[in-house]
Amino acid sequence: PSMQNISGRTQLERELQQFLHIPHVIVTSGNSDAQPWVKKEMSRACVDEMIQTLCPEDVVAVAGGTTLATLAESVTPHPNLKQVTFVPARGGLGENVDLQSNTISAALARSANAHYRLLHVPDQVSDLAYESLTQEPGIQELLELIRSPRMVLHSVGDAYTMATRRNADEEKLDRLKNLNAVAESFGYYFDGKGNVVQKEKTVGLQLDELGERQKVVTIAGGASKADAIIAYMTYRPSDLLITDEGAAEAIQSFA
Ligand code: F6P
């Protein structure tokens, strides 16, 4: 990349930090909607961040999706990662197994030569089953790890795209449309103003319980995710946003 491109991106990063109230934004080149290699670029930035931040014994909660799946492919063993434990942020959310957080946290651990724990909780459970499952000592212990990790790695998706990918029926899609849902993350759906308009029933990390000790890293790129990124960051600005030029320029046009 030319010097001009680099300084242009630095400028974009500063503008996004201000507009989204995020302490740190990294913008990589390209647009992941059109160029698959861009997810690799974003992943490399995330790996650098993981190496800088993480210490042995740290717990990292990871979400699902294609962006995080690319991250799992991009990690390589490093002394700072080898004693880390990766845990899924949530139970399954009706996604293809390759994109579920259990699969991705195991893949991350394998690539990093680190540890992982699986959350064995099915997708759709009755209220009664949900209550008794979360009382199980093994699951409770894991939930404690999941709810107070050192780092959270996740992406944000467009609400409609995510609901469709999870095989939502017409009625659910209509409901989300009526609620003006534009973003999805961790099974929460958000409207354009950053209000939570719907929650999927799933066991795991609770967004509202995240505090100062958790470094939340959002990796989300592609111009098509601009609305979703703005909505999510209005609800809860992350500590670090790793995005691409495609999304960054689209977000900037809203500023
Ligand atoms: O399903 C897990 C998840 O992290 C969602 O919360 C998010 O909306 C989505 O994946 C992002 O998927 P992708 O990286 O494929 O765009």
Side-chain angles (χ1 to χ4, degrees):
S2 71
M3 284 308 283
Q4 198 179 357
N5 281 347
I6 291 170
S7 71
R9 285 215 302 278
T10 307
Q11 182 61 25
L12 262 178
E13 287 168 352
R14 286 203 196 109
E15 285 176 23
L16 257 58
Q17 279 167 202
Q18 275 190 344
F19 176 57
L20 299 172
H21 307 286
I22 303 177
H24 190 190
V25 174
I26 297 173
V27 177
T28 69
S29 61
N31 177 359
S32 17
D33 286 341
Q35 300 148 318
W37 53 266
V38 178
K39 280 184 183 153
K40 292 218 168 79
E41 289 281 307
M42 294 193 294
S43 296
R44 269 191 277 274
C46 186
V47 173
D48 288 345
E49 183 63 30
M50 289 161 72
I51 290 171
Q52 277 170 42
T53 308
L54 294 170
C55 300
E57 316 296 327
D58 276 345
V59 173
V60 180
V62 295
T66 58
T67 313
L68 274 288
T70 306
L71 174 70
E73 290 166 8
S74 311
V75 173
T76 51
H78 185 280
N80 293 9
L81 303 181
K82 101 174 182 235
Q83 296 298 330
V84 163
T85 301
F86 292 93
V87 295
R90 316 280 303 197
L93 284 162
E95 295 234 48
N96 172 317
V97 68
D98 293 337
L99 301 182
Q100 286 178 14
S101 51
N102 263 322
T103 312
I104 290 174
S105 89
L108 266 164
R110 226 170 284 134
S111 304
N113 219 344
H115 309 284
Y116 67 93
R117 301 278 304 268
L118 296 177
L119 181 62
H120 296 291
V121 176
D123 248 1
Q124 306 286 342
V125 288
S126 66
D127 289 347
L128 198 65
Y130 178 94
E131 290 306 325
S132 61
L133 268 171
T134 51
Q135 295 309 313
E136 282 293 320
I139 293 188
Q140 264 193 357
E141 186 234 305
L142 185 53
L143 284 177
E144 262 169 49
L145 288 185
I146 292 174
R147 289 182 178 165
S148 57
R150 173 70 190 96
M151 189 180 255
V152 180
L153 302 174
H154 78 110
S155 190
V156 177
D158 164 69
Y160 193 84
T161 308
M162 288 314 301
T164 313
R165 196 162 92 187
R166 291 174 184 153
N167 302 315
D169 56 21
E170 281 300 316
E171 193 190 320
K172 181 159 185 191
L173 291 176
D174 280 348
R175 193 165 62 238
L176 287 171
K177 205 182 263 171
N178 292 335
L179 292 166
N180 299 315
V182 298
E184 190 283 343
S185 199
F186 302 108
Y188 292 59
Y189 287 88
F190 305 86
D191 68 14
K193 298 201 173 91
N195 301 307
V196 176
V197 291
Q198 172 137 341
K199 281 185 194 179
E200 301 280 6
K201 186 159 193 145
T202 136
V203 182
L205 183 142
Q206 301 295 323
L207 261 181
D208 299 335
E209 286 174 7
L210 292 176
E212 298 277 299
R213 223 191 79 79
Q214 278 79 49
K215 177 152 199 171
V216 180
V217 180
T218 305
I219 319 173
S224 64
K225 286 194 181 184
D227 287 356
I229 295 170
I230 297 173
Y232 177 79
M233 293 299 169
T234 308
Y235 177 75
R236 189 186 192 287
S238 298
D239 298 291
L240 168 63
L241 167 66
I242 301 173
T243 189
D244 59 22
E245 272 171 332
E249 281 163 8
I251 292 171
Q252 192 189 34
S253 68
F254 288 99

